[in-house]
Amino acid sequence: MLQKLIYYCQIKSIERICLSFIVIALKNFKITPLQTNLFKKLNFIYPWRSYQEKFLTNFSTHISDDHFHVIAPPGSGKTVLGLEIVKRIGKKTLVLTPTLTIRNQWEDRLQHFFTTDKNFKSVSFDIKSLYEITFSTYQSLHSFYKTFENKEDYFNYFKTNGIETIVLDEAHHLKNAWWKCLYDLKQSSSHTIVALTATPPYDSDRSEITKYFQLCGEIDDEIATPDLVKEQNLCPHQDYVYLSKPSDIEINYIVNFRKEIAAFIDELKTDETFKLFLQDHRFYKDPSRCIDELYGNPEFFSAIIIFLKSTGEIIPFEKIQILGFENEKDVEIPPLTNDWVELLLQNILDDRLNLLDYEAYLLTIEKRLKKLNILDNNKVNFIGNNRIYKSLFSSPSKLKSIVKIIDHEFQHLGNQLQSVILTDYIRNEFLNTPKNIIKSINKLGVVPIFQNLRVSIENKHMLAVLSGSLVIIHANLLAEFYLYENEDDYTIKPLECDAEYVIISGKSSSKSHLVAAITNLFEKGKIKILVGTKSLLGEGWDAPAINTLILASFVGSFVTSNQMRGRAIRSQINNPSKTGNIWHLACIDPTIKDGGRDLEILKRRFDAFLGISNTEENYISNGFERLALPKNITLENVDSININTLEIASKREDISKKWNAAIFTGNKLGREIKLYFQGKKPYPKQKKIYFNDAVKYTFVELTITLSFFLPEFLLKNLHLLISKGVLYFVYTTLAFLGLNFGQKAYKAIKLYLQYGIIHKDIEKMANAIMDTLYELHHFTTEKSTIKIITDLLHQGDVTCSIQGANQIESTLFINALNEMLQPIENPRYVIVKDVWYRKKLDIQNYFPVPQLFGDKKERCEIFLKNWSDHMGKSNVFYTRHLEGRKMLVKARLFHISGAIKEVTKKSIIWK
């Protein structure tokens, strides 16, 4: 019996030792033997929307790499989905937000949507006291980070307290200082990173975008705006642009500025000293002696040649031949434009250390540029200095636009109007402006907008101001205000210029309550027009009653604009017919055909806005083109454009119809690239040229083939000629030619007639890129489910889209194709399709290898193989060697006139 007991104890000891080893091993792999979900008691108490269910179904596959990066528009329930993700991960979590308001929303959503008693205790707002789930801000984390002299202590603090999941809300804020403390924390240990954003910061510079994706990981999933409209989480909505004309003073300033630049360029062209200076420049005088330097900056060399040619100088071919051109016709020297003169002068000033003999003369040019306001901070700018830009961005003409928009919307909505106007600055200096001089206010801001509306609208009680430091309401609303607020918490002061309005100031403890109180009055319809700052109301502020939003902001990024826009597109409970009108303001530059700088920046911001088209073709897309505004905007057509815009905006019922129709034409967001038609003539005329080129192309191909085929065919089939007769031989020959070349010629003529050469090339390029992405394992989706579609639009533009690929795959594909279609800059590898008749037909022969494939020689060779399979035999050149640099310069000079044009446009389309 004793021996059995000893044996039993030995066995149990062995089991305990084995169990200890297992526990140690599991700990090393960061797995606990019986790990439990910390948040199993939390359960979402409402049914999920269909798009949310789909999103959560895909979650488990995306989280496998400990990253989950999501694009979710305002109104998609991003916070609730974030909490569900936290619950499913089940680990101790730190949630970070950009503001206290958004931080508090997370805790509010947790208690109201995931518990039945609103009493989940394991919550903290203090980063110095971490609970199962801690809500804090990026500012708090950054401040906490700076308190540690030894950063290891900072890392160990979170490790010791068991933080394993970090949620980054509104992750687009993470680009600079806030990024550093988070990235260091991420690198210190294995954390699960969940990043949520409405708009990735694509408009930031390359280094900031790189940092952003290093922290957040690649985009895993995206909730589409059409899905949200379909589920009635977002209301049908439309963007409109209201144009304004600069004042006479602004117009005169701009026109005079343009005239002075034109006169300066004319003087420069007739300045023999400047001409001799360029002729004596080392690049032009003896290019063979500075070949490496010239290859490093071919644009400077091009600008010298273009300028000299514009003065009547005959450019010897040997000056250009050094670049490797065999025929003078291979190079098209474009006409001189302001862009080329700007580039020329900028390079001359940057090259001054090599031009010491001309320093006195260059000093006179520099003084002249400064006098004309062309030179600022050593940068030559012919488009317009900061004074012009700021004048248009904040033009007082936009104050009149706002009054007209509000008047128009009130005429059509009446008491249903719920409008918010967001701008950048408060401008307190105009607070007590007398009525008779309000129209002379020359700055854009909260107070100027309020003052202009105050003297323009009839129902003055509708108007209010809400900003961080200034709150104004109509005195008649005070009784309603005090129904919800304590009088002792606020001070009331009548507005000096109009006693019907009062300024409300809250004590420090009641400031957040003041924002909530004014928002409540707006939501109840007591306030109809609310003027505020984007810093307070542009992100995180929730007021679903808004049906008219005017964005009078000119400071900020794509991200900020999209956040502001999101205030107006939320659906409203008990108002299923709500539609949202979003108004954008632009002051045109009458000296520029496309409207000028203010409109140009607005166009770029539209890349972040997904919406319905205003065209006959009904579709959902991002980008400015969907608004169908004229390409050339002048002082003469501004009024007619605005009248048409107001008429469209008044038909709100059409917005809902268009959304409902367009939503069911697709089921997924797809990425598309558009190559703009670059013909020198209108497309219908150019199409005839395409046809002629097609015939030439086919004829050349047949001629080349027959020159090799016919002699050999005659020799091999001579016995047929003798035995069967001449007629039989002719029939046989024609039949053979018809079978081998007739069908090919027919297809070529038909293809070129219908699409032109570029359409065919883009389809081939796209397939070469896709095959390479598969071979390099960037694509994992089943190839049979992916489809590449190229289309020719009626104006001659060509589009290419990919269907069936996931978010990351489609982004990689479109980015690679876009790189290939852009003018060549400085790629590591260049592909050359050196076919002589392509040059004759004005077809591009030089293409940059996309950066994704050009980082290593082996990857480039894989791409070249696939390229050759689709595009025909080609050569690749490494541009970091002398011969490759020579080829690169030649490629950059090939049709160099297109180097400063917008060539392509990337879009997101619902298909």
Side-chain angles (χ1 to χ4, degrees):
M1 186 69 179
L2 181 60
Q3 288 179 338
K4 286 184 178 180
L5 181 61
I6 293 172
Y7 178 74
Y8 176 78
C9 290
Q10 288 174 338
I11 293 296
K12 288 300 177 184
S13 297
I14 293 171
E15 287 178 351
R16 284 195 297 271
I17 291 170
C18 291
L19 182 60
S20 298
F21 277 120
I22 292 170
V23 170
I24 291 169
L26 288 171
K27 284 183 177 179
N28 286 336
F29 283 103
K30 298 189 178 179
I31 301 172
T32 55
L34 296 172
Q35 187 177 44
T36 58
N37 190 316
L38 296 176
F39 310 116
K40 62 182 180 180
K41 293 182 180 179
L42 296 176
N43 287 294
F44 187 61
I45 60 178
Y46 299 100
W48 293 109
R49 302 266 184 177
S50 60
Y51 70 86
Q52 292 173 329
E53 284 184 345
K54 180 181 177 182
F55 171 87
L56 292 169
T57 300
N58 297 332
F59 163 71
S60 59
T61 59
H62 293 307
I63 200 66
S64 58
D65 62 350
D66 289 328
H67 284 87
F68 192 45
H69 187 182
V70 179
I71 300 175
S76 59
K78 176 162 53 73
T79 304
V80 171
L81 287 169
L83 288 166
E84 178 66 18
I85 290 169
V86 168
K87 180 205 169 226
R88 294 191 180 196
I89 294 173
K91 301 175 183 177
K92 203 169 183 180
T93 299
L94 173 63
V95 177
L96 296 168
T97 70
T99 66
L100 291 173
T101 302
I102 299 176
R103 181 203 69 176
N104 296 339
Q105 283 178 3
W106 274 80
E107 196 272 341
D108 179 74
R109 300 291 192 275
L110 173 70
Q111 302 292 0
H112 284 81
F113 289 85
F114 286 85
T115 69
T116 53
D117 56 3
K118 303 176 181 57
N119 195 30
F120 185 73
K121 298 289 187 182
S122 299
V123 173
S124 170
F125 286 125
D126 186 1
I127 203 165
K128 296 177 183 178
S129 178
L130 300 171
Y131 278 45
E132 273 70 22
I133 183 165
T134 302
F135 301 107
S136 188
T137 64
Y138 295 118
Q139 297 97 318
S140 297
L141 178 67
H142 186 240
S143 298
F144 185 60
Y145 175 75
K146 290 192 293 184
T147 62
F148 290 89
E149 291 185 10
N150 183 354
K151 299 310 176 189
E152 286 298 324
D153 294 337
Y154 166 75
F155 304 143
N156 288 332
Y157 170 78
F158 291 99
K159 191 172 184 179
T160 302
N161 283 277
I163 294 294
E164 296 185 74
T165 301
I166 301 175
V167 178
L168 310 174
D169 191 24
E170 308 295 357
H172 48 265
H173 289 279
L174 299 169
K175 296 181 289 182
N176 293 310
W178 294 349
W179 174 88
K180 172 69 175 170
C181 60
L182 271 165
Y183 188 70
D184 287 350
L185 181 60
K186 174 187 173 181
Q187 293 294 92
S188 69
S189 183
S190 269
H191 292 95
T192 300
I193 304 293
V194 177
L196 309 170
T197 183
T199 311
Y202 289 127
D203 60 327
S204 302
D205 62 53
R206 185 179 294 273
S207 63
E208 289 190 345
I209 295 173
T210 300
K211 286 181 179 180
Y212 172 82
F213 283 104
Q214 281 177 344
L215 177 62
C216 300
E218 294 296 332
I219 296 170
D220 292 297
D221 209 343
E222 179 173 359
I223 296 176
T225 297
D227 277 329
L228 299 176
V229 176
K230 185 192 297 184
E231 294 285 348
Q232 298 183 343
N233 272 40
L234 297 182
C235 69
H237 54 275
Q238 182 58 296
D239 296 277
Y240 302 99
V241 175
Y242 198 93
L243 304 170
S244 62
K245 304 173 186 178
S247 65
D248 291 340
I249 295 175
E250 290 171 318
I251 291 175
N252 290 335
Y253 178 79
I254 296 170
V255 170
N256 288 335
F257 178 76
R258 303 279 181 239
K259 286 180 178 178
E260 288 175 349
I261 288 178
F264 170 72
I265 293 175
D266 288 340
E267 289 176 19
L268 210 57
K269 289 167 68 175
T270 58
D271 186 343
E272 288 298 322
T273 305
F274 187 70
K275 186 175 179 180
L276 289 171
F277 161 73
L278 291 181
Q279 290 171 338
D280 196 45
H281 193 281
R282 63 190 183 282
F283 277 17
Y284 188 79
K285 186 176 182 179
D286 194 357
S288 61
R289 298 190 65 178
C290 51
I291 193 73
D292 288 343
E293 192 180 5
L294 189 147
Y295 285 170
N297 193 358
E299 290 86 358
F300 187 13
F301 179 71
S302 304
I304 292 173
I305 291 174
I306 291 166
F307 187 89
L308 287 174
K309 186 185 178 186
S310 74
T311 66
E313 175 88 359
I314 297 174
I315 309 297
F317 178 62
E318 56 267 21
K319 298 290 186 184
I320 307 173
Q321 195 173 21
I322 192 71
L323 298 175
F325 289 98
E326 299 172 1
N327 193 311
E328 193 170 358
K329 294 180 180 180
D330 289 346
V331 180
E332 178 186 340
I333 299 178
L336 184 70
T337 63
N338 285 15
D339 294 312
W340 285 113
V341 180
E342 180 182 298
L343 190 150
L344 174 65
L345 293 172
Q346 184 68 62
N347 277 278
I348 288 172
L349 295 179
D350 292 342
D351 192 36
R352 287 172 81 162
L353 289 177
N354 296 311
L355 304 170
L356 296 178
D357 292 343
Y358 290 92
E359 179 57 29
Y361 176 65
L362 294 180
L363 191 60
T364 63
I365 292 180
E366 183 182 52
K367 288 180 179 178
R368 183 73 191 282
L369 293 175
K370 287 181 178 179
K371 187 177 179 180
L372 292 170
N373 290 315
I374 294 172
L375 186 65
D376 187 25
N377 292 325
N378 296 318
K379 295 296 180 184
V380 181
N381 185 344
F382 278 13
I383 299 298
N385 58 19
N386 287 332
R387 182 176 171 184
I388 287 181
Y389 295 159
K390 289 180 180 178
S391 172
L392 295 178
F393 295 161
S394 59
S395 173
S397 64
K398 293 183 179 181
L399 294 171
K400 298 177 184 177
S401 298
I402 293 168
V403 171
K404 288 181 179 178
I405 292 168
I406 290 295
D407 179 62
H408 173 83
E409 292 283 24
F410 186 72
Q411 285 180 24
H412 289 85
L413 292 177
N415 287 328
Q416 299 301 314
L417 174 67
Q418 293 294 145
S419 176
V420 170
I421 306 161
L422 295 178
T423 190
D424 300 298
Y425 305 111
I426 296 176
R427 310 287 191 197
N428 277 317
E429 64 268 28
F430 299 106
L431 192 57
N432 296 307
T433 305
K435 182 176 181 179
N436 62 329
I437 61 171
I438 282 176
K439 297 301 181 182
S440 64
I441 293 176
N442 60 357
K443 289 185 179 179
L444 193 64
V446 169
V447 175
I449 293 169
F450 166 77
Q451 295 286 27
N452 273 267
L453 288 171
R454 179 177 66 84
V455 298
S456 302
I457 62 176
E458 292 184 11
N459 301 319
K460 297 177 69 173
H461 65 275
M462 301 191 308
L463 180 63
V465 166
L466 177 58
S467 69
S469 60
L470 180 66
V471 176
I472 303 173
I473 66 171
H474 198 273
N476 289 351
L477 293 179
L478 279 174
E480 186 80 22
F481 177 79
Y482 286 133
L483 286 176
Y484 306 97
E485 299 297 314
N486 187 347
E487 289 189 43
D488 295 334
D489 291 337
Y490 302 96
T491 59
I492 307 297
K493 184 175 102 173
L495 189 65
E496 286 184 24
C497 63
D498 190 342
E500 288 190 51
Y501 290 94
V502 295
I503 299 174
I504 304 178
S505 301
K507 297 175 183 178
S508 58
S509 61
S510 60
K511 284 186 177 180
S512 61
H513 290 287
L514 180 55
V515 174
I518 300 300
T519 303
N520 182 51
L521 290 177
F522 179 80
E523 285 290 292
K524 289 181 176 296
K526 304 298 181 181
I527 295 171
K528 300 290 184 184
I529 306 166
L530 188 61
V531 186
T533 52
K534 70 168 189 191
S535 58
L536 181 68
L537 308 180
E539 183 173 12
W541 182 64
D542 196 9
I546 303 172
N547 54 29
T548 300
L549 175 68
I550 302 176
L551 298 180
S553 169
F554 58 89
V555 177
S557 62
F558 293 4
V559 171
T560 305
S561 301
N562 203 30
Q563 290 291 331
M564 290 190 293
R565 183 174 173 270
R567 304 310 100 202
I569 65 179
R570 296 176 185 270
S571 59
Q572 185 182 15
I573 298 174
N574 300 325
N575 185 13
S577 62
K578 176 193 169 181
T579 56
N581 281 359
I582 304 108
W583 291 91
H584 308 264
L585 309 178
C587 184
I588 70 162
D589 180 348
T591 62
I592 307 267
K593 284 186 177 180
D594 63 0
R597 177 77 168 173
D598 196 17
L599 191 60
E600 177 193 337
I601 290 176
L602 183 60
K603 287 178 180 179
R604 278 194 257 138
R605 287 185 176 184
F606 265 74
D607 288 342
F609 306 153
L610 195 73
I612 198 73
S613 67
N614 270 343
T615 60
E616 289 185 11
E617 180 189 1
N618 195 25
Y619 61 89
I620 299 169
S621 172
N622 71 335
F624 193 78
E625 291 179 351
R626 65 182 173 84
L627 299 187
L629 290 179
K631 289 187 177 180
N632 293 333
I633 297 175
T634 64
L635 288 176
E636 289 71 28
N637 65 5
V638 163
D639 290 338
S640 61
I641 292 172
N642 285 337
I643 290 171
N644 184 58
T645 300
L646 290 172
E647 184 180 350
I648 295 172
S650 65
K651 300 174 181 177
R652 287 187 176 239
E653 65 279 1
D654 288 351
I655 300 175
S656 297
K657 292 177 182 177
K658 287 175 73 70
W659 270 100
N660 290 333
I663 281 172
F664 293 99
T665 63
N667 55 23
K668 188 178 180 182
L669 288 179
R671 276 162 171 74
E672 177 182 276
I673 190 166
K674 177 185 289 185
L675 180 70
Y676 289 114
F677 176 63
Q678 299 293 332
K680 299 173 186 177
K681 301 179 181 180
Y683 181 64
K685 293 182 180 179
Q686 192 73 50
K687 192 173 181 180
K688 292 182 179 179
I689 297 174
Y690 284 154
F691 174 72
N692 293 333
D693 286 345
V695 175
K696 291 177 186 177
Y697 176 86
T698 307
F699 176 75
V700 168
E701 185 177 355
L702 288 173
T703 301
I704 293 171
T705 308
L706 286 174
S707 65
F708 290 99
F709 158 77
L710 197 55
E712 183 179 356
F713 182 81
L714 287 171
L715 288 172
K716 288 185 176 180
N717 296 280
L718 188 61
H719 66 283
L720 285 175
L721 178 62
I722 297 171
S723 61
K724 299 288 185 179
V726 176
L727 191 60
Y728 180 86
F729 175 75
V730 170
Y731 286 154
T732 304
T733 304
L734 290 175
F736 187 89
L737 290 174
L739 289 172
N740 284 274
F741 304 115
Q743 186 179 7
K744 188 174 183 181
Y746 169 76
K747 285 184 178 180
I749 292 171
K750 182 179 178 182
L751 184 63
Y752 285 91
L753 177 63
Q754 185 177 2
Y755 300 115
I757 291 172
I758 191 62
H759 181 275
K760 182 179 179 182
D761 278 351
I762 287 178
E763 188 171 359
K764 292 177 180 179
M765 289 182 205
N767 281 290
I769 290 170
M770 185 179 69
D771 289 348
T772 306
L773 288 168
Y774 268 107
E775 197 162 342
L776 294 175
H777 306 294
H778 289 298
F779 271 29
T780 56
T781 301
E782 181 65 36
K783 195 171 185 179
S784 61
T785 65
I786 291 182
K787 188 177 182 182
I788 292 174
I789 300 173
T790 55
D791 288 311
L792 179 77
L793 306 184
H794 67 277
Q795 70 271 32
D797 301 335
V798 178
T799 63
C800 180
S801 61
I802 183 168
Q803 294 184 2
N806 62 37
Q807 182 74 247
I808 298 175
E809 293 169 345
S810 61
T811 301
L812 290 174
F813 170 82
I814 290 295
N815 287 345
L817 183 56
N818 184 56
E819 283 185 57
M820 296 211 73
L821 297 176
Q822 290 292 325
I824 292 177
E825 292 184 358
N826 193 27
R828 288 170 61 87
Y829 292 94
V830 171
I831 281 183
V832 181
K833 190 171 176 59
D834 193 14
V835 182
W836 67 269
Y837 61 76
R838 289 178 66 88
K839 298 176 187 176
K840 292 291 183 183
L841 296 180
D842 200 27
I843 309 169
Q844 180 62 279
N845 289 310
Y846 308 95
F847 301 90
V849 174
Q851 187 177 357
L852 184 63
F853 310 142
D855 57 342
K856 293 182 180 180
K857 183 179 179 181
E858 296 79 12
R859 296 164 68 87
C860 182
E861 288 175 347
I862 292 172
F863 177 62
L864 176 62
K865 173 179 67 70
N866 290 310
W867 172 275
S868 298
D869 288 344
H870 292 280
M871 290 289 289
K873 188 176 180 181
S874 303
N875 298 313
V876 67
F877 289 87
Y878 180 61
T879 64
R880 302 304 187 255
H881 291 157
L882 182 60
E883 192 63 27
R885 293 298 296 179
K886 188 174 181 180
M887 183 59 68
L888 177 60
V889 173
K890 186 176 177 181
R892 291 170 79 172
L893 290 177
F894 187 83
H895 300 309
I896 198 166
S897 58
I900 49 181
K901 296 179 182 177
E902 186 180 22
V903 178
T904 63
K905 180 75 173 178
K906 292 188 287 186
S907 300
I908 300 174
I909 297 215
W910 179 254
K911 288 189 174 182

